[in-house]
Amino acid sequence: MKTFHVTLALCGLGMLAAAAVAKDAPVPPKAADAPRPDAAVPAPTARNAGTARQIVFTPPRRGAPRTRTGGGTRTDGAPIDIAVLVPEDTGLTISEQPTLYWQLSQDTQAQFEFVLSDERQVAPLWRQSVTDTFRAGIHALPVSNMNLTLAPGVSYRWFVALVRNPDQRSNDIVSSGTLERVAPPPALDEQLATTSLEERAAIFAAHGLWYDALDALNKAIDAHPDDAHLQAQRTALLKQVGIGGGS
C-alpha cells in the first residue's frame, strides 16, 4: 500500500483538539506533489499457515469511552464507506511517528482531506487536501510525513473526509479516530528480538498497542502480498475491534 501526504480543513467538525510536538512548522506540499494512492490489498493466494499463532488484540482500557466515528453514503446508488482502522476507543502506540491506516470501500475520484489534531487546542496540527482517484482498499498515512512527533500521554484525533461539495462541508463523508503514545511495556525489546513481522504484530496486539500491531501486520502483507494467511490475520484483527471485512 502506497503512502501519501495529505491536508485537511474540516469545516463544521467542531473542536479539533489537543498537542503533538512539531519538529519544525509543517509546510503543506502542493497538491501536485502528492503521490497517487493505490489499492493496498492484492488478491490473496493460499499458503501453508504453519504454526503461526492467531493475532489477538487485548484492549488496554476496557470500558473506555468510544471515540471512533465512521462515514458512509450512497452516490448514484452505490455505497461509499470510509473507515479509519482503529479501535472504538483510543488506540495506543509506542511510536513517536506511527503510521495511521484507513480504508475506502470502492474506487472514488474526489477531493479527500485529512487532519491530525491535538485535543488540547482548536487549530489542527497538520492538514492536507488531495484530489485524485483513490482506489478501494487500505491506505497508509504516516505521521513521519507530517513533520511531527507525538508527545507521550497526549490524546490526538485524526480525520479522513471525502468532500462531496466544497461549498457545503456538512455533506462531507467523515471518519475519525483517536490515538495516544505510551511508554513501552517492560521487556518488550526482548520479546520482539529476532521475530517475524507477523510475530511482532501478535506481540504488539497482546500488549494492546493497536497502531504498532496493525502496522507490523500490514508491512508483512506488503512483503508477501499473495499470502492468504496474512490477509486472514488482518481480517480477523479488524473484526476484533468491530471493523468488518478488512480487505
Side-chain angles (χ1 to χ4, degrees):
M1 64 196 74
K2 193 172 182 181
T3 62
F4 58 95
H5 304 263
V6 284
T7 304
L8 172 58
L10 282 177
C11 303
L13 287 178
M15 296 283 290
L16 300 175
V21 179
K23 291 180 177 176
D24 300 292
V27 179
K30 298 177 180 178
D33 295 333
R36 292 172 57 89
D38 55 7
V41 186
T45 58
R47 80 150 171 99
N48 183 356
T51 59
R53 58 172 165 164
Q54 180 182 1
I55 298 174
V56 178
F57 177 64
T58 302
R61 299 171 178 173
R62 297 185 185 277
R66 296 183 179 183
T67 59
R68 184 180 72 201
T69 67
T73 191
R74 301 186 70 87
T75 301
D76 297 329
I80 299 177
D81 292 301
I82 297 172
V84 294
L85 302 185
V86 301
E88 289 188 331
D89 57 358
T90 298
L92 304 184
T93 179
I94 60 171
S95 174
E96 64 180 17
Q97 293 183 317
T99 297
L100 317 177
Y101 290 94
W102 62 283
Q103 187 174 31
L104 183 64
S105 63
Q106 65 173 325
D107 294 357
T108 305
Q109 203 289 325
Q111 178 184 351
F112 280 75
E113 294 187 321
F114 305 77
V115 69
L116 176 66
S117 292
D118 175 332
E119 296 205 324
R120 298 173 299 183
Q121 65 187 52
V122 176
L125 295 167
W126 175 89
R127 60 189 180 186
Q128 192 175 45
S129 176
V130 177
T131 300
D132 206 340
T133 297
F134 286 72
R135 300 299 182 186
I138 295 174
H139 301 273
L141 183 61
V143 173
S144 60
N145 287 350
M146 305 176 192
N147 201 25
L148 297 171
T149 58
L150 303 186
V154 174
S155 180
Y156 299 90
R157 179 172 288 277
W158 60 287
F159 295 84
V160 179
L162 189 161
V163 181
R164 302 178 67 196
N165 184 341
D167 297 323
Q168 293 182 327
R169 297 304 303 275
S170 61
N171 292 330
D172 288 1
I173 306 171
V174 182
S175 183
S176 74
T178 54
L179 70 156
E180 180 182 335
R181 179 185 167 196
V182 297
L188 179 64
D189 287 343
E190 289 82 352
Q191 296 176 41
L192 295 175
T194 65
T195 57
S196 68
L197 284 168
E198 182 181 3
E199 291 168 330
R200 291 171 69 89
I203 293 169
F204 284 133
H207 284 292
L209 299 170
W210 172 263
Y211 288 93
D212 309 281
L214 183 59
D215 186 47
L217 186 54
N218 282 335
K219 286 177 178 176
I221 292 173
D222 283 346
H224 304 283
D226 296 328
D227 192 321
H229 166 70
L230 292 174
Q231 299 277 2
Q233 285 275 48
R234 182 168 63 187
T235 297
L237 179 63
L238 293 176
K239 285 184 177 179
Q240 290 174 46
V241 295
I243 300 174
S247 60

